[in-house]
Amino acid sequence: MKQSFDQKQYNQTIKTYQPKPNYFINCLKAFVVGGLICMLGEGITTFYVEVFNFSEKDAGNPTVTTLILIAALLTGFGVYDKLGQFAGAGSAVPVTGFANSVSSAALEHKSEGLVLGVATNLFKLAGSVIVFGVVSAYLLGIIRYSWKIWF
Amino acid sequence: MSKMGSRTWYFEKPVYIQATGTSVGPLEGEGPLKDTFDQIHAELHCGENNWELAERRLMTESVNACLKKAGVDKTDVNLFLAGDLLNQNVTANYVAKQLETPFLCMFGACSTSMETLANGAVFVNSGYADHVLVAASSHNATAERQFRYPTEYGGQKPKTATFTVTGSGAALLSKQKSSVRVESATIGKVMDYGTNDPFDMGSAMAPAAYDTIKTHLQDMGRTAQDYDLIVTGDLSAVGTPILRDMLAEDGYDITEKHSDCGLMIYHSDQPVFSGGSGCACSAVVTYGKIMEDLKQGRLTKVLVVATGALMSPTMIQQKETIPAIAHGVVLLREEGS
């Protein structure tokens, strides 16, 4: 075999055969879809403020809950994974993406029972988000607390 | 049987495929080969409660269709060779339980179809079995769960990814003359060229197909021109040109004769990324379309090279590379049968 498909260079050679992701279009799709999800969130907040007389701050929690409910339903109806393929980070980063990762795991492992299936695997994908979320919040909290004491 | 060259088995006492059976899922049933399948399911669950049962049903159906066409009762099957992609090969094991036939389970990832066919031919040729039933299956949703993410997870896949074929193919081998003969088989070596992207199996498997095809042609003293068709299992749109260029560099031009099951089974506008993959990919295309073409004389000599990425999610997470294997089987049209 000639040099180009040599085992050592194989990973380099095959790059020309692999279709490249279009980063610009992907970013644009993520921006638009992510933005639309956030806009929906804004709309829901306004709804809670105007209709149920929540304060702007208090409307945050019901807004997140509503978005999670919508995302979980869309996951169940088999829509969210298609949105995910289209939008990438645009639908993965917002709270709806987190809801999708939890509800998709629940659906997937339903056949293994409620305890060892659903409950055990619920945070299979989202677990790392929670771990790093808690750890980074803890570390930043310590930094902020120390900053206040010393300065 | 005699050994040709380094690792090709030539079956001197002819072994024939009595019949084949296939059963597929919805997307395959909408593809260009839809008329060559025995059974098509309109829904991915195939009428079962979970994905694993759905895959088991597919294999059961393909086996039943095959036995029915051959007119052979399951009690006359001396050996059942089968495999799939799930942990502990559960689909094959549970189907074998229902069949109540002597059983050897096989795993070769997506190369299982030709691994079982080649071994089945050996058992018939050597006289240890009169009827050998071989089968392989895969299901898109069980494979997603086994190797990737939950089915409904909204992650983005790159264009190099492949789409696991939902389906199962089975074949019955014996010495009784029929229109399709298993002439020879070349057993692959595990090849690892150091790729580690689980979303690019075509690149990982191309070297294995290259090695098996090259060895086969050398062992048999043939060229690509001796075949009507050289078909690989699931190299997809990424691995196919890599394989052709690798062989061309060594002076084997297969381009005119070569097709890939992963590209044959779906229309290019179906949402399958770079093509189909999975045990069922080569199984349903070979036991459906290719068998039909051989029987009707549109093809007379075909080399089927089923390619398998021996990938494990645990190994990938431990930063290992992806080994691959490919097994080739030559199918001949037998005149006057």
Side-chain angles (χ1 to χ4, degrees):
Chain A
M1 197 193 295
K2 281 182 208 155
Q3 208 56 13
S4 60
F5 283 108
D6 185 83
Q7 202 159 353
K8 290 189 191 90
Q9 290 182 13
Y10 185 70
N11 273 312
Q12 206 58 36
T13 310
I14 57 170
K15 275 186 184 157
T16 52
Y17 293 87
Q18 294 160 332
K20 297 278 165 296
N22 191 330
Y23 290 112
F24 178 75
I25 297 288
N26 278 356
C27 287
L28 195 70
K29 284 178 181 169
F31 177 78
V32 172
V33 174
L36 285 172
I37 292 172
C38 295
M39 216 169 85
L40 176 69
E42 281 297 320
I44 295 168
T45 303
T46 314
F47 171 79
Y48 282 120
V49 171
E50 296 295 324
V51 179
F52 293 108
N53 297 320
F54 277 88
S55 71
E56 191 84 28
K57 199 183 167 202
D58 287 346
N61 284 339
T63 300
V64 168
T65 317
T66 311
L67 282 173
I68 287 173
L69 175 71
I70 294 170
L73 287 174
L74 288 178
T75 303
F77 289 129
V79 176
Y80 207 90
D81 58 326
K82 293 184 178 69
L83 180 70
Q85 181 59 40
F86 174 80
S91 59
V93 173
V95 70
T96 50
F98 187 84
N100 164 255
S101 73
V102 175
S103 46
S104 65
L107 283 171
E108 192 66 51
H109 295 279
K110 186 174 154 266
S111 62
E112 291 138 68
L114 195 61
V115 178
L116 293 176
V118 176
T120 307
N121 291 292
L122 205 56
F123 294 97
K124 199 177 171 185
L125 296 164
S128 57
V129 180
I130 293 178
V131 169
F132 288 112
V134 170
V135 170
S136 54
Y138 182 79
L139 288 175
L140 282 170
I142 290 176
I143 293 169
R144 187 163 177 257
Y145 184 72
S146 318
W147 186 273
K148 264 189 184 168
I149 290 175
W150 292 326
F151 301 103
Chain B
M1 188 167 86
S2 67
K3 185 165 78 71
M4 309 283 283
S6 62
R7 50 190 156 104
T8 297
W9 303 337
Y10 180 81
F11 305 111
E12 276 170 337
K13 292 179 201 156
V15 178
Y16 298 96
I17 297 182
Q18 299 306 313
T20 54
T22 50
S23 182
V24 297
L27 222 50
E28 295 70 24
E30 291 165 9
L33 305 183
K34 59 174 185 263
D35 298 329
T36 64
F37 302 127
D38 293 316
Q39 194 150 3
I40 294 170
H41 287 274
E43 211 268 326
L44 208 53
H45 274 101
C46 309
E48 298 288 345
N49 282 331
N50 64 52
W51 304 127
E52 284 71 19
L53 285 175
E55 182 173 343
R56 196 184 306 168
R57 180 160 178 169
L58 289 167
M59 194 189 267
T60 307
E61 284 171 354
S62 71
V63 162
N64 288 343
C66 174
L67 290 176
K68 196 179 163 195
K69 277 196 246 171
V72 170
D73 190 74
K74 66 177 187 179
T75 52
D76 294 326
V77 174
N78 306 118
L79 184 62
F80 177 44
L81 300 174
D84 55 276
L85 291 175
L86 304 186
N87 280 346
Q88 293 89 37
N89 270 355
V90 284
T91 310
N93 291 339
Y94 280 73
V95 171
K97 181 181 81 173
Q98 292 163 4
L99 274 174
E100 299 173 313
T101 51
F103 171 59
L104 288 173
C105 191
M106 302 207 136
F107 181 82
C110 314
S111 71
T112 307
S113 59
M114 291 305 118
E115 183 184 15
T116 51
L117 188 66
N119 279 286
V122 170
F123 281 103
V124 172
N125 185 270
S126 58
Y128 285 106
D130 296 326
H131 289 110
V132 177
L133 183 65
V134 300
S137 74
S138 58
H139 188 291
N140 186 272
T142 57
E144 285 297 310
R145 187 237 274 275
Q146 181 85 60
F147 297 102
R148 292 174 276 270
Y149 301 115
T151 332
E152 298 299 332
Y153 177 62
Q156 196 173 37
K157 281 186 189 167
K159 290 174 191 162
T160 51
T162 46
F163 186 87
T164 308
V165 170
T166 301
S168 172
L172 186 77
L173 296 165
S174 84
K175 277 184 187 152
Q176 199 190 329
K177 197 169 180 198
S178 78
S179 50
V180 180
R181 182 185 153 194
V182 182
E183 184 224 34
S184 55
T186 302
I187 300 306
K189 288 197 288 191
V190 177
M191 304 290 284
D192 189 342
Y193 271 40
T195 71
N196 57 7
D197 181 1
F199 287 111
D200 183 6
M201 293 299 181
S203 297
M205 296 187 294
Y210 152 82
D211 180 66
T212 300
I213 293 172
K214 188 181 161 187
T215 307
H216 176 81
L217 296 176
Q218 283 172 347
D219 284 354
M220 298 298 286
R222 290 176 182 165
T223 67
Q225 304 312 314
D226 291 319
Y227 293 97
D228 297 320
L229 177 67
I230 296 176
V231 65
T232 43
D234 50 1
L235 292 182
S236 77
V238 179
T240 295
I242 298 178
L243 168 72
R244 290 176 183 173
D245 287 357
M246 283 181 93
L247 283 165
E249 277 207 343
D250 284 7
Y252 297 92
D253 183 11
I254 63 159
T255 305
E256 270 177 41
K257 305 283 180 181
H258 177 247
S259 291
D260 187 66
C261 296
L263 297 173
M264 292 162 77
I265 191 165
Y266 297 116
H267 287 295
S268 55
D269 58 351
Q270 284 182 294
V272 294
F273 308 99
S274 69
S277 65
C279 294
C281 188
S282 55
V284 298
V285 174
T286 306
Y287 298 150
K289 164 86 177 152
I290 293 171
M291 274 299 286
E292 215 172 88
D293 285 353
L294 282 164
K295 277 187 199 162
Q296 291 172 7
R298 287 190 291 268
L299 293 171
T300 52
K301 200 172 191 176
V302 181
L303 170 62
V304 185
V305 180
T307 41
L310 305 169
M311 198 266 286
S312 144
T314 313
M315 291 298 109
I316 295 294
Q317 280 161 4
Q318 292 178 355
K319 307 282 181 269
E320 300 269 355
T321 51
I322 304 172
I325 195 160
H327 302 298
V329 174
V330 177
L331 301 177
L332 290 184
R333 174 180 156 79
E334 197 79 350
E335 297 292 341
S337 55

